[in-house]
Amino acid sequence: MARRAAGWGFVAVMVAIGAFSALGSTRVFAAYVVLLASAIAFHALYSCRRCSNTACSFNPASRDCIYGSARRPDGSSAPDSYSDLNAAVAGVPLVAVLALGFYGTYLWSIPVAIGVGVFTAGTFLLYTSVTCRYCTNECPNNRNAVYRAWKKQAG
């Protein structure tokens, strides 16, 4: 339940930032939409297709996937394997685009930008607490001790 909430929270953040940046600057909004679509496509093609992290609410193999039911017939979220997928490479473009959207939101209303920032921080904290603890990818936020031991042993 918390994973789905975090996933939908990120979707809400992207939509809210887009809507508020449209009110702040149509040029920033246009750039935000184009760059967000590109970043999501890159993320989906680079990460999501190869990701083994079934704790992620965006992974279709997860029982908590926001897109619908899991591909796993048993409904478990246990990983089949660990990967060396560099999740930071996939996340950085998304963060950069969100920063652009925050700028557009800031142009419209500083209090709204602060509110959206607080909501984004809360969503990020929820996501990292329920996903990063079980992550199976190489990422600076990975808090999975079993993965870290595997990574150290794998070299």
Side-chain angles (χ1 to χ4, degrees), residues 96-117:
V97 172
L98 288 177
L100 175 66
F102 271 117
Y103 173 68
T105 301
Y106 169 83
L107 291 175
W108 182 63
S109 170
I110 294 171
V112 170
I114 292 169
V116 170

Side-chain angles (χ1 to χ4, degrees), residues 44-137:
L45 294 173
Y46 175 79
S47 296
C48 295
R49 288 183 6 179
R50 304 177 327 184
C51 183
S52 64
N53 186 9
T54 55
C56 179
S57 55
F58 297 104
N59 188 332
S62 170
R63 63 183 162 89
D64 296 318
C65 182
I66 65 171
Y67 306 125
S69 62
R71 290 186 306 205
R72 294 178 170 278
D74 63 0
S76 74
S77 62
D80 293 327
S81 65
Y82 294 128
S83 71
D84 262 344
L85 183 66
N86 189 341
V89 170
V92 168
L94 287 172
V95 171
V97 172
L98 288 177
L100 175 66
F102 271 117
Y103 173 68
T105 301
Y106 169 83
L107 291 175
W108 182 63
S109 170
I110 294 171
V112 170
I114 292 169
V116 170
V118 168
F119 182 78
T120 302
T123 301
F124 179 77
L125 289 173
L126 176 62
Y127 181 82
T128 57
S129 69
V130 297
T131 299
C132 298
R133 185 180 332 160
Y134 307 105
C135 188
T136 58
N137 296 312

